Structures are given as C-alpha cells and as structure tokens.
Amino acid sequence: MDQRKWLLIKANFDGTEDLADGYYRLREIDGGYQLAFLVAGPCGDKIPHPEVTLRLEGNQMQPIRLRDLEATPILNLSKESDLERIEALTDQLLNRFIKAKKLSL
C-alpha cells in the first residue's frame, strides 16, 4: 500500500462525505481505520463497495481485511489468504478517494 496516498487521504477526509459518485468514509476504529466507498441501498442505508480495514504494522498502515457487500459474490477477504488481492483493491480505493477530491501527491 502506498503510504503517501494513505497520508494524503487521512489529511483530507474525516467521517462520511457525499461526493459526485457516492459516499466516501474514513473512520477511526480500535487499533486502525476503515476506509470505504459506500453506495445507497434500497432502504436508505449505505452499503460498502468496498470497505478496507487498515492496521498499523510497524510504522506502516497495512490493509488486513476487505469486504464488498455490493459485489457478486460478496467479497470477504483477509490478509492471511488474500493479501495480494486486498492490496490491489485497496490501491484502487485509495486512487478513487484521491480522484473524488481532486487531490494530488
């Protein structure tokens, strides 16, 4: 995971923001963060598409879990079995956040 992208997102997002193509959320959780793109559900709820859980490992934030409830079939990946796929999807999500806010490195 690109740490520069992570730091840029962390500095420019807080909570949930409604931007042009959906909802973007960054929230602090016990021991890390959750980064998610959310789509509107049928009952007004917000569905993760996807949501990545990040934890500090050493001095680097690393993705440890990814779930996507809008994908078919639903994705529920963990670093133990799907690390490369989680890292690739996390990088896509980081890029999406940066593009939505028109940020640059």
Side-chain angles (χ1 to χ4, degrees):
M1 184 175 106
D2 188 326
Q3 298 299 306
R4 293 177 309 137
K5 289 179 183 178
W6 161 248
L7 292 173
L8 180 64
I9 289 168
K10 186 177 173 198
N12 288 281
F13 279 91
D14 185 32
T16 303
E17 293 188 41
D18 182 6
L19 299 174
D21 61 340
Y23 299 93
Y24 292 79
R25 180 181 69 205
L26 175 63
R27 68 179 172 188
E28 195 168 352
I29 59 170
D30 187 35
Y33 290 88
Q34 281 184 335
L35 181 67
F37 176 73
L38 307 164
V39 295
C43 298
D45 52 342
K46 295 179 181 80
I47 301 168
H49 184 50
E51 176 182 79
V52 178
T53 301
L54 304 163
R55 296 269 187 241
L56 189 60
E57 294 181 358
N59 61 351
Q60 305 262 326
M61 275 303 215
Q62 296 297 326
I64 62 164
R65 184 173 50 244
L66 181 137
R67 68 183 184 133
D68 190 334
L69 301 180
E70 192 69 8
T72 305
I74 290 172
L75 290 177
N76 195 12
L77 308 174
S78 67
K79 77 173 191 173
E80 289 77 21
S81 58
D82 300 299
L83 182 59
E84 286 182 28
R85 190 164 179 204
I86 290 174
E87 287 181 351
L89 292 170
T90 299
D91 195 44
Q92 289 176 12
L93 186 58
L94 292 171
N95 290 333
R96 187 173 195 165
F97 268 68
I98 290 168
K99 183 178 177 184
K101 274 271 202 84
K102 298 177 180 138
L103 303 171
S104 62
L105 292 171

